[in-house]
Every structure is written in structure tokens, then in C-alpha cells.
Amino acid sequence: MRNKRKHLSLMMAIVLLFSNCQSGAKVISQKIEKPLNIILLIGDGMGLAQISAASFISGGLSLDLFVELGLLRTSSGNDYITDSAAGATAFSTGEKTFNGAIGVGMDTLSRQSILELAEQNGLSTGLISTCSVTHATPASFYAHQRNREMHREIANDFYGKGIDFMAGTGKPYFSIEKLLAGGYQISSGTIPSNADASKKQFCFFNDSIHPPKAAERGNWLEAITKQGMQHLSQNKKGFFLMVEGSQIDWGGHDTDFNYTVTELIDFDKAVKAAYEFAKKDGNTLVIVTADHETGGLSLDAGNLKKRTIQHHYASTHHSGIMVPVYAYGPGASMLKGTHENTEVFKAMKLLLGL
Ligand code: MG
Ligand code: ZN
């Protein structure tokens, strides 16, 4: 089977790239390598200032290893400043929608997500977040609701989707009976050591809705990301996995610099795990990006010896500054340049052949 995977990686996709020039749209034909698997890592609220600060303070991030980079415009369908629901829906469905929308368009009707397309085509799928799995970012990949606060309705959209690996908090929103009937092995607390590889996994970090901060989670995000990749890669048709560093955003809303930086450094460990998996595998595209920046963070001064930074936040809300998108693996070059956030969906769909 290993050879079959290798063979698939050598298949090339002919992609038409449209570039604007003064005489109108020009069509360029280019050969782009196709990945078998895509891991999309979303740092919620992770702008360049947040990355710069975490990289400087920690002495370097795994993100710094990526050489293919682009920028994304983050505006939603009805506001220059997006929220995480519209931001994630742009990634999951390729459409700009109104703030608060979960997997629905401007007309409030459902749009098929990249995860649903992957499931339909026989790929394995997974979602991991450091908050409730009914929260806006992960929810936008499997649910279709007009309001992000409808956690019970969002959870209800989960059943029957066939998602193979789930991890985060939010247990009170789910029916354990329904999950068991759906073939899930449910674990709570730490990383399941007795996971049945043949069963779909639902890993609740705790029994509550509320997730702890990075210090209390230990290396959970990194470890569960490794477990997720291992579980999903059993499917030789490929997989789609989304991993969210949810609380980088919350640090911004709280204007708590240490919170922001520690969450980003924790998220970067999951990035490292994905990068190393992709490097070894050769058939996996890793995309790391953000839905928006949070707090209008400014880095005003720093101490080179002590590796400390003086900063200030311009607000307690999201900002409109573009966010970086990093990519590694087959197809990574598609995300170079400046794009709308919806291009991430389009690239993933095309590269997975969905
Ligand atoms: Mg989020
Ligand atoms: Zn936010």
C-alpha cells in the first residue's frame, strides 16, 4: 500500500492559474503536485505581531521553517472585520458569509464543506481544537447554522457525518448514546492509550464545555494531533484534518500578552508535529493560517538579551490586517501571493480532487 501512496504522489495535476494583467485575465498552465492528505492548522487570532512575538520570545518557531508563504484578506461577506464563524466558513466552504454564520452562505442556506466533500469521496476526516468542538472554527466544518451561539443545534449536525477523529471540549452538548450508536469510541481527559484503531474516535478533553489554558493542558494539543494523524493515515485514500489553536484569539480579547504568546507557542508544537509527519510522509500538504488578527497587537520595543517585548493592544476586538498563510508539501506553491481567505478552500478542493 505504501507504494501505491508513493505512486499517487507522483501524479501531477494540471492547474490553470489566472493572473491579472493590464490586457485582462491571462491563463497560465502550470503543473502542480497533488497531495493525498491535507492538514489545515488555524491559529485563531494569529496575526503577524503574535507570530513575531512568539518567535522572538521562544527563540524560534516551527512556523519559521516554512518557505512557501502568502497573505490572506480576511473580510467577511457583510463586514470589513470578520468574526471566527465567517472566517472559518470561508476556509470550509469557499464563500464569504455574514459574521456569526456557521457553514451557511449569505442566504443562510447550507454550503457543502471541504470536510463533507472529503467524507463523500472516501477520505478520512478529523477536527481538533483547544475549545469546544461546537465553537465557531471547528463547527464551520461540519455544521450549518445561522448563529454560532446555537451550540446544541451545531452538535446535532455532527451525527451521521462520519467524521473519524474529534478532539476538544464540549461534551455536555453531545448525546453519548448517539455517539456510541454512531460507532464512536469516547475518551475523556488525557490521550486515549487504548484507542481502537478500527473505531472512530471522540476525545473530550474534560467533561465540561470550558477548556483549560495551555499550561494546564500540558502537551495535549501536540499529542492529540499526532494521534489524529496516525489514526487518519490508516485510510490509503487520504485524509483531511483541521487543527485549531483556539485560544490565541482569547488572549487578544483579554489583551493578555502572555496568554496570547503561550497559546501560540503551544499551537506551534502541533504545527511541528504536522510538519514532521508531512516531511516523512511526502504526500501531505500542511497549511497554517489564521482566520483574523485579534487585538491590533503592536510590538513597540524589545530587549535582545532578555528576549522580552513591550507591546500594546489597539483594541479588544479583531482587526482587519491581512494574515499570513504558510504551506509545506505537494501543492504548497498554490497559496503563495495575496489572496482572499476563500482561496484556501478552492486550493484544498482542487488539490484533493474533490
Ligand atoms: Mg476559533
Ligand atoms: Zn475572537
Side-chain angles (χ1 to χ4, degrees):
M1 283 318 261
R2 194 75 203 166
N3 283 341
K4 198 176 168 196
R5 282 169 71 83
K6 270 280 170 256
H7 177 71
L8 276 167
S9 82
L10 295 174
M11 281 170 56
M12 307 288 257
I14 307 294
V15 178
L16 294 177
L17 292 176
F18 296 87
S19 76
N20 291 318
C21 62
Q22 283 189 331
S23 58
K26 194 171 72 174
V27 179
I28 305 165
S29 179
Q30 206 180 54
K31 281 181 177 178
I32 299 219
E33 252 190 307
K34 283 178 95 172
L36 201 55
N37 317 309
I38 291 184
I39 305 169
L40 172 65
L41 297 111
I42 302 175
D44 198 316
M46 185 181 74
L48 272 180
Q50 286 80 355
I51 294 167
S52 306
S55 181
F56 180 67
I57 289 167
S58 69
L61 298 171
S62 292
L63 263 183
D64 301 333
L65 298 172
F66 289 66
V67 294
E68 313 249 33
L69 273 74
L71 292 169
L72 299 179
R73 298 190 191 96
T74 64
S75 288
S76 73
N78 71 338
D79 202 319
Y80 176 63
I81 305 295
T82 191
D83 80 329
S84 294
T89 299
F91 293 146
S92 69
T93 74
E95 279 191 40
K96 300 256 188 193
T97 188
F98 56 94
N99 285 358
I102 300 290
V104 298
M106 288 294 283
D107 55 8
T108 74
L109 299 176
S110 297
R111 298 292 190 274
Q112 204 168 30
S113 76
I114 190 79
L115 178 144
E116 290 164 336
L117 282 167
E119 274 294 332
Q120 214 174 62
N121 283 271
L123 279 72
S124 285
T125 60
L127 297 171
I128 298 171
S129 73
T130 50
C131 69
S132 172
V133 294
T134 60
H135 214 271
T137 310
S140 298
F141 286 84
Y142 66 86
H144 306 280
Q145 298 293 340
R146 62 181 71 193
N147 187 334
R148 58 183 289 171
E149 299 306 326
M150 298 161 74
H151 289 272
R152 296 210 172 270
E153 290 83 353
I154 286 167
N156 212 38
D157 282 349
F158 175 83
Y159 310 109
K161 282 274 149 75
I163 302 175
D164 303 272
F165 194 91
M166 287 293 281
T169 63
K171 197 173 184 179
Y173 293 125
F174 289 86
S175 153
I176 299 303
E177 218 168 61
K178 277 191 187 176
L179 289 179
L180 291 172
Y184 285 89
Q185 183 179 9
I186 300 165
S187 60
S188 207
T190 51
I191 309 299
S193 53
N194 59 341
D196 182 343
S198 69
K199 280 193 157 181
K200 297 193 285 271
Q201 298 292 317
F202 208 130
C203 316
F204 289 108
F205 184 84
N206 57 24
D207 289 336
S208 98
I209 290 158
H210 305 289
K213 292 182 182 179
E216 276 178 71
R217 295 195 307 267
N219 71 337
W220 180 80
L221 184 60
E222 180 191 5
I224 204 80
T225 299
K226 284 181 181 169
Q227 181 141 11
M229 295 184 300
Q230 191 187 355
H231 188 79
L232 298 174
S233 60
Q234 295 179 102
N235 186 343
K236 302 306 169 198
K237 283 185 180 173
F239 69 81
F240 169 78
L241 171 65
M242 192 287 296
V243 180
E244 185 199 19
S246 319
Q247 299 185 45
I248 300 165
D249 175 63
W250 302 1
H253 286 292
D254 289 355
T255 65
D256 183 336
F257 187 64
N258 187 49
Y259 189 5
T260 302
V261 168
T262 51
E263 288 295 335
L264 204 154
I265 291 170
D266 179 65
F267 174 66
D268 188 64
K269 289 178 188 160
V271 171
K272 181 174 188 241
Y275 183 89
E276 283 174 354
F277 176 91
K279 198 172 173 186
K280 198 173 164 194
D281 178 72
N283 287 310
T284 302
L285 171 64
V286 178
I287 301 170
V288 189
T289 189
D291 46 1
H292 52 74
E293 192 273 348
T294 305
L297 179 60
S298 172
L299 311 178
D300 307 318
N303 185 312
L304 290 173
K305 279 188 185 152
K306 292 181 183 166
R307 289 199 172 273
T308 54
I309 290 172
Q310 283 174 43
H311 70 277
H312 77 269
Y313 288 93
S315 79
T316 58
H317 304 294
H318 304 165
S319 78
I321 194 166
M322 290 192 286
V323 293
V325 53
Y326 300 78
Y328 173 79
S333 61
M334 277 200 76
L335 291 160
K336 279 159 90 170
T338 303
H339 308 280
E340 292 299 329
N341 52 4
T342 47
E343 290 300 313
V344 174
F345 168 86
K346 289 170 193 169
M348 294 192 297
K349 183 172 183 281
L350 194 143
L351 289 168
L352 287 178
L354 303 175

